[in-house]
Amino acid sequence: VISDNALVRARFHLPETDASGHGLLTGDEAGHLTRVLRLGVGAEIDVFDGRGGMFHARVVDVGRPGVRVAVLSAMSPAPEPAIRVTLVMSILKGDKMDAVVRDATMMGVSAVQPIVASRSEISLAAVTRAQRVERWRRIAVASVKQCGRAVVPVVETAVDLRTWMAHRSDDAVLALTEPAGGEGAPLAQVPRCERVHLLVGPEGGWTADETAVFATAGFRAIALGGRTLRADAAPLVAMAAVFEAWGGW
Amino acid sequence: VISDNALVRARFHLPETDASGHGLLTGDEAGHLTRVLRLGVGAEIDVFDGRGGMFHARVVDVGRPGVRVAVLSAMSPAPEPAIRVTLVMSILKGDKMDAVVRDATMMGVSAVQPIVASRSEISLAAVTRAQRVERWRRIAVASVKQCGRAVVPVVETAVDLRTWMAHRSDDAVLALTEPAGGEGAPLAQVPRCERVHLLVGPEGGWTADETAVFATAGFRAIALGGRTLRADAAPLVAMAAVFEAWGGW
């Protein structure tokens, strides 16, 4: 539930500051401040560095290179979850993937790894050509502003499922399955992990080959009830279940 | 995750059948069958009665009054959750409330009670004039088809918060609160209930008066982590947490 906007100062992403506590907002961030919000020198804003720091700041100069701000004092951002979730998400059609990145960021995801699975209805070439990953990175920043986090989740370069399988870390993997398959176990039966990869399939689901490979790789197949979840809602539901099951909120 | 459409026969809402196992699809359902899917006499379809029954059926006549079908055999619909959740939802702006009804239905909600709270940006008169409740009932039926349930959740007539408070059942009420308020407890501290009302506020959150009234009424204020959830995502997240916490999937 979004808090009253009147009580929240505008937030800006300021990745770098110098030793004197000054930094430069550029690009979209500078444009949002000057053209959309019509703020100028002297305006008080909040800035976050994307790595967990959030600060009160003041605009000290508006010029050609960007908006120069001075950091005033540290703030307490929204806490990060106790469980580090990396969402390994099959790329969905149209703007559904935008919503997935936005919602996962709001929930506190640590990283998003977009993948192309057998039944994904988009190719890696199309993802690259349309600069979708860059778009998802901007959406992650926008969502961070809304939910009050100071950590911007990493949105990794999109790869195919096979490539991700070959290069993944050794974190535990939970593979979300469809109720019709019947092979998924309740999350309550899975031991708690501090770090987990959550693997979610495309609209058409996983193929039998894919689920067989997951089983061989030691992934835990999990089911979230007997209703069929929409692919774009599944990550949100699964993250809520993980946080509730393992005290990760 | 939606199962492969090729494997799922078209589903239709058939609330009534006669003693011989025949019934009539009318209105939107008949139009979808004949005009959208271009099915006719002899077509095999699935029908659900909205109260838990799902059946294979065959089209036996297409005519002026509607599409007449004969029930062939009983099917197993998606199981209903073990916890009966009534979502008492502050009406959101635009089509966000449509998404809430769709998603709550997919999750297995038993009933949706739309309410107008102090900070709701819509009046009961506007809801009535725009026939929003009728729209949400159609959305609930459409969502039931997608998720495989055979139970259509009741969408109650919209009322204001005060009226709902005065006439509600004695089920336990969980009131979702904003992290900034700090008065919410983790769901893990709330005893399991078989039936629960889940109360979710509007975009602007609850007023201090409202949360005071909730406390007096014995509602449990719950918090879902420290990030600010969008009002339209909050019901989905909260239902997932309730099902996971209480074994309700």
Side-chain angles (χ1 to χ4, degrees), chain A residues 104-233:
Chain A
T105 301
M106 169 191 77
M107 284 295 287
V109 80
S110 290
V112 178
Q113 171 63 68
I115 59 162
V116 172
S118 296
R119 291 190 181 141
S120 297
E121 301 184 37
I122 191 163
S123 68
L124 277 182
V127 170
T128 304
R129 195 168 56 240
Q131 300 190 298
R132 296 283 296 277
V133 173
E134 291 74 8
R135 176 176 170 80
W136 298 327
R137 287 173 181 154
R138 289 195 299 272
I139 287 170
V141 171
S143 184
V144 159
K145 291 181 187 180
Q146 284 208 309
C147 73
R149 293 176 75 182
V151 173
V152 177
V154 177
V155 180
E156 304 283 0
T157 301
V159 295
D160 63 28
L161 175 61
R162 187 181 308 261
T163 304
W164 174 74
M165 294 281 298
H167 295 97
R168 68 194 173 83
S169 74
D170 56 3
D171 286 356
V173 180
L174 303 177
L176 195 59
T177 61
E178 295 178 60
E183 72 269 24
L187 190 55
Q189 295 176 8
V190 180
R192 183 182 193 277
C193 313
E194 296 281 331
R195 304 169 60 94
V196 72
H197 277 63
L198 179 64
L199 184 54
V200 180
E203 286 92 342
W206 304 115
T207 64
D209 281 357
E210 285 169 340
T211 51
V213 167
F214 297 164
T216 304
F219 297 178
R220 304 293 295 247
I222 60 162
L224 298 170
R227 278 80 54 202
T228 300
L229 301 178
R230 292 197 333 281
D232 52 328

Side-chain angles (χ1 to χ4, degrees), chain A residues 1-3 78-79 81 102-103 106-107 147 149 178 202-203 205 224-230 233 236-237 241 244-245 249, chain B residues 1-3 78-79 81 102-103 106-107 147 149 178 202-203 205 224-230 233 236-237 241 244-245 249:
Chain A
V1 181
I2 281 193
S3 47
R102 180 195 63 187
D103 290 349
M106 169 191 77
M107 284 295 287
C147 73
R149 293 176 75 182
E178 295 178 60
E203 286 92 342
L224 298 170
R227 278 80 54 202
T228 300
L229 301 178
R230 292 197 333 281
L236 192 62
V237 174
E244 186 63 39
W249 291 111
Chain B
V1 182
I2 280 193
S3 44
R102 181 194 62 187
D103 290 350
M106 169 192 75
M107 285 295 287
C147 74
R149 293 178 75 182
E178 295 177 59
E203 286 93 341
L224 298 170
R227 279 79 56 202
T228 300
L229 301 178
R230 291 197 334 282
L236 191 62
V237 174
E244 186 60 40
W249 291 111

Side-chain angles (χ1 to χ4, degrees), chain B residues 144-237:
Chain B
V144 159
K145 291 181 188 181
Q146 286 207 308
C147 74
R149 293 178 75 182
V151 173
V152 177
V154 175
V155 181
E156 305 282 1
T157 301
V159 294
D160 62 28
L161 174 61
R162 186 182 307 260
T163 303
W164 174 74
M165 295 282 296
H167 297 281
R168 69 193 172 83
S169 74
D170 56 3
D171 286 356
V173 180
L174 304 177
L176 196 60
T177 60
E178 295 177 59
E183 73 269 21
L187 191 54
Q189 295 177 7
V190 180
R192 184 182 192 274
C193 312
E194 295 281 330
R195 305 168 61 94
V196 73
H197 277 64
L198 180 64
L199 185 54
V200 180
E203 286 93 341
W206 303 115
T207 64
D209 281 356
E210 285 170 340
T211 52
V213 168
F214 297 164
T216 304
F219 296 178
R220 303 293 296 247
I222 60 163
L224 298 170
R227 279 79 56 202
T228 300
L229 301 178
R230 291 197 334 282
D232 52 329
L236 191 62
V237 174

Side-chain angles (χ1 to χ4, degrees), chain B residues 46-122:
Chain B
D46 295 343
V47 296
F48 58 95
D49 62 14
R51 300 177 299 278
M54 188 176 283
F55 309 90
H56 291 302
R58 182 181 292 128
V59 175
V60 293
D61 190 43
V62 176
R64 175 61 58 94
V67 173
R68 191 167 164 79
V69 304
V71 168
L72 302 177
S73 58
M75 299 173 60
S76 297
E80 291 293 304
I83 310 274
R84 286 181 63 86
V85 175
T86 295
L87 175 63
V88 184
M89 183 74 206
S90 304
I91 300 170
L92 305 180
K93 282 189 290 186
D95 58 6
K96 286 183 184 170
M97 190 70 178
D98 296 359
V100 166
V101 172
R102 181 194 62 187
D103 290 350
T105 300
M106 169 192 75
M107 285 295 287
V109 80
S110 290
V112 178
Q113 171 64 67
I115 59 163
V116 172
S118 297
R119 290 189 181 140
S120 297
E121 299 184 38
I122 190 163

